[in-house]
Amino acid sequence: MYKKKLRGMYISRKALKDHFDPCKVPWNTYLLCKLQWGKNGTPWIHWVRNDPNRYHAEVYFLQKIFKMRRSNSYVNCSITWYLSRSPCAKCCYEILDFLNKHSNVNIEIYIAQLYKIKKEENCQGLRNLVSLAEVTIAVMEIEDYIYCWKTFIQGDVDAGSWTEGFQSEITKNRLKLKEILETF
């Protein structure tokens, strides 16, 4: 039986298009990551997809991938995540716990869609994350989509017009995120 790949260095064009389109509601969460140790370290890229029966992409990254790539506890580490959906409440608390244990790490999170924001616990989780100086959360902009296409797809592929029609959803999501983060 064919099993879909759950992680790797490069993502398929289809997965990027299907799961990062802000106009669609993706079933799975994809996490695209750039990790860099120190200012002059070589950036390392990777992606992870959640396995609904076993783990969320964010938690898998923190517990398995980061541990595997860990360098020196005294060197600052910058992590940039591009997520198809914002972290759920449980993942937000896992990220907070991780950052409390790793004071040398900061995380920038760019999201394509907001995940179940009608649930107050998810909104509160996002607010708790941005209350830390080590965390930035923003909605993906067109430039971020183009960066992901060029960085996480293998080979020299033209991004074409796959982001056509995204801007209105990006604007809506940006306003919703702003409202969530400003609500106390």
Side-chain angles (χ1 to χ4, degrees), residues 2 6 23 30 33-34 44 46 53 58 65 70 78 100 104 129 183:
Y2 175 73
L6 298 174
C23 304
Y30 277 76
C33 171
K34 182 178 91 171
W44 180 80
H46 201 78
N53 299 320
E58 302 92 329
I65 305 297
R70 189 168 181 165
S78 296
N100 285 330
N104 62 319
L129 273 181
T183 303

Side-chain angles (χ1 to χ4, degrees), residues 29-115:
T29 299
Y30 277 76
L31 180 156
L32 310 178
C33 171
K34 182 178 91 171
L35 184 145
Q36 183 169 345
W37 291 97
K39 290 184 180 181
N40 300 320
T42 302
W44 180 80
I45 63 167
H46 201 78
W47 69 269
V48 176
R49 178 177 66 86
N50 72 315
D51 181 345
N53 299 320
R54 294 177 40 210
Y55 58 81
H56 289 202
E58 302 92 329
V59 174
Y60 184 86
F61 178 87
L62 296 174
Q63 293 177 354
K64 306 287 187 193
I65 305 297
F66 181 82
K67 188 175 186 179
M68 179 177 76
R69 297 296 303 173
R70 189 168 181 165
S71 178
N72 182 327
S73 298
Y74 303 106
V75 176
N76 287 337
C77 179
S78 296
I79 298 173
T80 305
W81 282 351
Y82 299 91
L83 287 166
S84 56
R85 302 189 292 191
S86 59
C88 68
K90 185 175 188 270
C91 287
C92 288
Y93 293 109
E94 292 283 343
I95 296 165
L96 286 167
D97 185 53
F98 171 86
L99 290 170
N100 285 330
K101 293 175 184 171
H102 300 87
S103 60
N104 62 319
V105 175
N106 66 57
I107 301 178
E108 290 182 13
I109 301 172
Y110 297 93
I111 56 171
Q113 289 195 14
L114 293 160
Y115 177 71

